[in-house]
């Protein structure tokens, strides 16, 4: 079978894009008029993709307005969501109306860390332990070596995890407005080179990563210790509002929460929430995030209370929300437009974006939970009642 | 703040799309020329999205050719990947070259089930147990009630999970070429209505879902018992080929696998693989899948062996791959084109698509693992060696 | 160093026991008067232990009386607990008083299965799948082969778990009054020999166990699908009783439950209960159970509700309670006495014992939870209040 | 039903013990001659148990000699094991012979921490975050308050875990030769009282524990961050020795390890080892440990390699081994004797004991793994071979 055409000199010219499209069309006996219909300049995707041939046209709708009382995100937002799941935007919008009428969603970024976790192996556990102590004692110098490789990344601390004669160092960085995965890989490599050059005893084996990070997959470690931003969104819904907008009660929502907590524990789920992934994915596609990070970002916790006066306190915590407003796909055509709609352009806007994502997730979880509860209440109740 | 404009009569006209765009532009003081540049007919997204306003242009490149020896997917494929992560397509293509030269990737769909898991609560555990026995005894009638609501969905079995006085029924269906989440919700609701109408003893509470399913989030239950397709992709790489193409050895790859297994176990990760999510996400966006299902589909297992003659057997198992070639976003403009490029259009093509996804994941994991290993080998080895 | 003396003819004579004790005393320069003080006949421990030299004297106290409304355990029980943790029996007794005054604990054994999970490997996943289908089709014959090796064990079903080219078969048995680990190993081996002799296609590798069972360690699989008995204990506590006996309120207990659920989820705990392990261990030591099974038996779920009239519904679910009233250490001197005190001697008494264990666990968890809550209420409240 | 007799003045007199025994005998129509046969002085169990009535006579045998090359445990040991599981001591002894001939087991305690994790709740996440920063800034003063309550416990650090408006503080202490659960509860309570008295902003709710610790139950958090001692035991077995003593090969053991890793991951097990719980439980009962801690101590990791010259490197890591040589049941009659046999009496002996436990676990896991492998090799191989 033939190789896909590439150009050594300029692979992002309109010509090369056409050449590749014609090649694919011919080889697969297809026609790709939609794929080749786009307005983004081909040269703009250099660094974002290889063998660029066209675009996926993913439908975008706006949900909202959503009112956010964040530390960074303050005011009302129209939230761009790229999805093909019908009712999703309607449902999120309903949750946004509910929280808007309750005064808005309070959001807080409570932690921030991106990491790379190299592994070092030794002759035995005792040598691994000695290495761990040396690393701790030499933190300042390691930090210097890491940060020399980056203008933005700052090494916060190095956690250590040990099993057998192996020792993982989990380097935690802050990365400005970037998601930072590449930044921290480069910086950690620089730090490890310094370690390897200066550690006065033998190291049997070193590798820059061995699945403890854990990149592009969920882990309980990341839920405990944050990967990307750790964000909380909260709201207190007056009892009457729940009835008016959601056609159910705080008590019914809270009861459903008890069942859902138990179901999640029984299933061994990484989330006791309803569908964090839906809102996160739709925002990620629209806003040029690395969508594969849905694997990590979709995990999280829901916590609710009925207040003494019968209102409903509801919160979502996203422990590993990996977001960026700089780098990656954030500068591309439609993606940059969507970030601009949210006012998340320019330096220092990443936490604002993180807060908007968390607020959106909260609205979507409230809406779905209410639908599940009210549905049962309205349509199944009569039949159910007969059995009592 | 103003509400987003909607039309009660036809919300998917070009006019309404423009009206909304102008509204968003005005309210947010932005300009959205790229968002509004698309070729898909607005009316085609009815049922896929609300408040449709434009599209995300997500760059697509093709990786491959990839050779697959599946039960359904047989031959060579150019794989459309929508991504903004540079080097991703180059890396997957490298893995595809490697496996192609090894004779191709063998793929098998080994299980197939989509589910909805309603919960029933009773006065106590003894009544819940009695209910469970009744459900088992009445399976044929429940099945009939479920299947009356759908032409495609077939109820395979009902698992039961019990805690306290609560009992979850996990309804497992096959759903043809659809992903089936809506189909199984409707069918299970019908089945539950039959149960509620016919169960001769009291049911204290019923709800169609309480987080055991688990939809749009990973759970260990789904890893054990499949959600969507359970697919295995396998290859045996000749030792010499690994050296030629990947600049490393089966032994080095296998050693790294040991570290990665331990790292994944330590981290409490839902996958011992490298980056399943990358390939899955890129294919999902390109091919009109529900991308939020990356949350579930990205989990999985890698298993490797060194064969007696020193070659490298490598496999990936994806236990909850949720895919469709019918319904959802699969019929949209660029999405349908990409499915066509893969020959995954028309009835009975969903397993073919599942196999292509799994083969792609395998190629990507091989490529990344080799890069990690070879990098260390080449550039760090000298320094490391000095410490020995 | 010298080998420990053994006798080929009769290693359980009083002489050999003394010989070994003198040997240990001499070699370690110690004196073991207490260890050698026991009333059990040495020959009675043949089959239970090798190199028998003496006994551990573990203090036993009785908690209770505890009122149980089980399917098997009905009435009042004095519960023998072997422990060295001060306050433990006092605390369990307090919980027993509470539930006794509430009318007793309702208990139900809702599932029963002991297993062995052999693994079969094949040339590839497709062959493993074919094997799985063959096993399913030949279940009756496999069952026959398994059950030929045992008079008591009955093969209930065979679950299948698949990854890569590997396939685990999880054989589920009921085992009468025995815990059954050895019984199911022997029976499963017999079944596997039949499979290996009759399967018409190649099997690459077989092993009787490869950590999926999972024996002597907790797994989520066993929580989902039961290992040993799955038992639920329940009680509804009148509001006034909670105040009188526990000095706290259903609301305070329920609030603490919310925090504890969240803490358990965050920690990645295998239980959202308080201290199942304490009661289980004390009963296991006293009653001749295999105490190492605390590893599996200590996992579980707590589920609570506040009833419409303000009472407190509380339950514990133990999904993998491994117990026996026949075999193992159940026939030994003090162990048989303790089982007799509970009326758990003789054929068909194992579920009665399981129910007593679950009821005990419930009483202990209620007591500890109340102590945590009341303590905070009484002693810390004043200080806390000042900050409000 | 009648209450169990207690004496307000002296509940641990021989008289009261007899009174209680007669009471139980009469009420349950039993005879308890063995239970009441013991040599330990009744008054010695004050503080260890309430309602003391007699003892469980648990058979003890000695395994070994076992050679340990620890940091604290050095030389040969006869290991007291209290068990009723036949073949257990024989199997451990076989593993001890193997490692002894290989030069002994290397052991290292690589971490040490006992904890209590109080939870503080606030009006919202932002206030919880502010509290977290304040705690960090005031660590020295909190430490002072904690340590004022104990002569032995030293507060090492305070980890923080956050979800919603809740914040857990995980206080880590070293506790000398004690296990330390009570010590750290008291110290943490003192620390929290200081916090509550001095924190300048409102705290909505405080509780000394809410399941994050996690006491008497396994959690992934404790696996990551240690509860009690984190111990590694290692050995390298010459190829020939494996054949001679175990009748199998390093290659076969290593292959079985691959299957076992995969089985453990699939099952969602808290250990990829074979049966840590067996050795730990037998030593815990014999040596006066809190046996309920088997729930936590039985989790762990096995890691193996085949060395360049074909030998077998094997290790076990126990991340949450909770042990003591002071306090609890360690001073009781037979228990103190067993600790003395191991040379684990007196100040500073707890790590020695931890190392002996870990070495024992390693020997047992090697023995069982070999048995599984060799068994298959010898008896099933012929039949298996016919199918190839």
């Amino acid at each position: 079978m033939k190789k896909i055409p590439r150009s050594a000199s300029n692979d992002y010219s309109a010509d090369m894009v056409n050449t590749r499209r014609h090649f694919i069309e011919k080889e697969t006996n297809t026609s790709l008029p939609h794929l080749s219909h786009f307005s983004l300049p081909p040269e703009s995707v250099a660094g974002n993709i290889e063998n660029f041939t066209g675009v996926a046209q993913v439908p975008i709708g706006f949900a909202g307005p959503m009112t956010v009382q964040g530390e960074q995100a303050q005011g009302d937002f129209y939230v761009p969501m790229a999805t093909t799941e019908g009712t999703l935007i309607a449902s999120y919008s309903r949750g946004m109306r509910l929280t808007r009428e309750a005064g808005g969603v309070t959001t807080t970024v409570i932690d921030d860390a991106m990491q790379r976790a190299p592994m070092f192996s030794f002759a035995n556990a005792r040598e691994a332990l000695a290495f761990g102590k040396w690393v701790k004692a030499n933190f300042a110098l390691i930090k210097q070596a890491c940060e020399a490789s980056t203008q933005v990344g700052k090494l916060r601390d190095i956690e250590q995890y040990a099993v057998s004669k192996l020792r993982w160092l989990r380097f935690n960085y802050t990365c400005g407005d970037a998601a930072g995965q590449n930044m921290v890989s480069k910086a950690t490599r620089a730090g490890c080179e310094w370690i390897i050059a200066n550690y006065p005893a033998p190291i049997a084996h070193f590798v820059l990563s061995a699945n403890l990070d854990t990149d592009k997959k969920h882990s309980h470690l990341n839920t405990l210790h944050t990967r990307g931003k750790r964000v909380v969104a909260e709201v207190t819904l007056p009892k009457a509002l729940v009835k008016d907008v959601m056609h159910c009660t705080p008590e019914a929502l809270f009861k459903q929460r008890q069942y859902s907590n138990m179901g999640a524990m029984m299933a061994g789920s990484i989330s006791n929430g309803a569908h964090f992934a839906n809102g996160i994915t739709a925002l990620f596609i629209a806003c040029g995030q690395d969508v594969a990070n849905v694997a990590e970002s979709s995990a999280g916790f829901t916590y609710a209370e009925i207040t003494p006066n019968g209102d409903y306190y509801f919160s979502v915590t996203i422990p590993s929300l990996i977001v960026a407003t700089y780098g990656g796909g954030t500068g591309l055509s439609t993606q940059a437009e969507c970030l601009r709609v949210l006012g998340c352009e320019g330096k220092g806007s990443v936490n604002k974006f993180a807060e908007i994502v968390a607020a959106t997730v909260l609205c979507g979880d409230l809406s779905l939970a209410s639908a599940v509860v009210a549905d049962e209440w309205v349509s199944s109740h009569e039949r159910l009642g007969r059995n009592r």
Side-chain angles (χ1 to χ4, degrees), chain A:
Chain A
M1 205 177 190
K2 291 179 189 164
K3 289 197 179 176
I4 297 167
R6 305 200 64 183
S7 158
S9 57
N10 178 7
D11 206 45
Y12 294 93
S13 66
D15 265 7
M16 274 312 301
V17 175
N18 280 330
T19 299
R20 267 193 293 269
R21 173 168 56 92
H22 290 311
F23 170 83
I24 296 286
E25 288 177 329
K26 194 183 160 206
E27 291 296 320
T28 64
N29 195 24
T30 54
S31 165
L32 305 173
H34 292 296
L35 198 92
S36 53
H37 184 93
F38 54 84
S39 62
L40 64 77
E43 62 275 16
S44 72
V45 299
N48 284 118
I49 193 165
E50 298 81 46
N51 296 350
F52 174 61
T53 310
V55 305
Q57 295 182 30
V58 185
I60 286 182
F62 286 86
M66 172 174 76
T67 306
V68 184
Q69 312 278 8
E71 293 192 304
Q72 306 295 327
Q74 296 179 342
D76 294 337
F77 298 89
Y78 297 102
V79 180
M81 305 185 87
T83 184
T84 61
E85 184 185 343
T87 78
L88 194 145
I89 286 177
S91 176
Y92 275 78
S93 286
R94 195 172 72 121
M96 289 170 185
R97 183 188 145 206
L98 174 72
T99 56
R100 194 170 64 240
E101 295 191 9
V105 181
T106 302
T107 55
T108 317
V109 174
I110 61 172
D111 203 1
D112 180 8
M114 178 49 64
Q115 47 275 127
R116 182 52 67 195
M119 192 215 70
F120 296 78
S121 172
F122 299 85
N124 55 47
R126 225 170 279 168
E127 290 191 9
L129 175 60
F131 174 76
K133 289 176 181 170
W134 183 89
V135 166
K136 205 169 172 185
N138 288 272
F139 174 72
L141 292 166
I142 297 169
K143 180 178 164 71
Q144 201 173 7
C146 292
E147 294 182 357
S149 80
T150 162
Q151 289 189 303
V152 173
K154 299 293 166 198
L155 182 65
R156 212 181 65 176
D157 63 290
I158 301 175
E159 298 164 68
Q160 302 197 14
Y161 294 93
V163 64
S164 182
K165 58 184 182 177
L166 317 177
R167 196 158 276 249
W168 279 265
L169 306 181
R170 190 172 181 261
F171 287 66
N172 286 297
Y173 298 84
T174 54
C175 300
D177 290 315
Q181 289 101 324
N182 291 339
M183 190 190 293
V184 304
S185 292
K186 197 179 157 200
T188 303
R189 159 177 278 286
C192 289
E193 283 174 1
W194 186 91
I195 288 172
I196 291 164
N198 289 280
Y199 187 60
I203 295 170
H205 193 79
F206 154 74
V207 67
L208 191 56
S209 176
N211 263 3
L212 191 106
D213 318 274
T214 42
D215 196 21
K216 300 284 164 85
K217 47 197 172 281
H218 167 84
S219 72
H220 198 74
L221 176 51
N222 287 348
T223 284
L224 286 167
H225 292 302
T226 306
R227 179 167 174 85
K229 315 302 176 197
R230 191 179 198 90
V231 203
V232 180
E234 302 166 284
V235 74
T236 298
L237 302 169
K239 190 174 186 156
L241 191 65
V242 174
K243 274 190 185 151
D244 281 358
V245 181
M246 305 317 242
H247 316 116
C248 62
T249 63
E251 286 73 22
L253 286 172
F254 191 67
K255 195 175 188 179
Q256 171 71 3
R257 183 100 302 280
Q258 302 303 306
Y259 298 139
S260 294
N261 283 348
M262 199 47 64
M265 280 188 255
M266 177 69 96
S269 178
I270 63 170
S271 168
N272 68 333
H275 63 143
F276 288 23
N278 273 332
I280 291 172
T281 306
L283 263 160
F284 273 25
I285 298 177
C287 298
Q289 308 301 304
D290 185 344
V291 188
N293 286 327
V294 165
E296 298 140 286
S297 302
S298 58
F301 297 110
T302 290
Y303 179 75
E305 289 179 0
I306 296 192
T307 67
N309 63 344
D311 297 338
Y312 194 52
Y313 168 85
F314 184 76
S315 70
V316 298
T317 303
I318 312 178
S320 296
L321 182 64
I322 305 178
V323 285
T325 53
Y326 181 82
T330 59
L332 296 182
S333 61
T334 59
Q335 291 81 347
E337 286 176 2
C338 287
L339 285 171
R340 229 169 284 136
V341 164
L342 294 170
C344 292
E345 56 191 342
K347 213 173 150 69
S349 56
V350 71
N351 279 10
K352 181 179 183 182
F353 183 63
E355 291 184 333
I356 291 169
V357 174
T360 301
V361 164
L362 176 138
C363 293
D365 261 43
L366 271 175
S367 183
L368 180 53
S370 303
V372 169
V373 168
D375 183 34
E376 178 265 330
W377 188 253
V378 175
S379 66
S380 304
H381 187 257
E382 195 187 3
R383 269 175 296 268
L384 254 181
R386 289 193 302 185
N387 290 318
R388 282 192 190 127

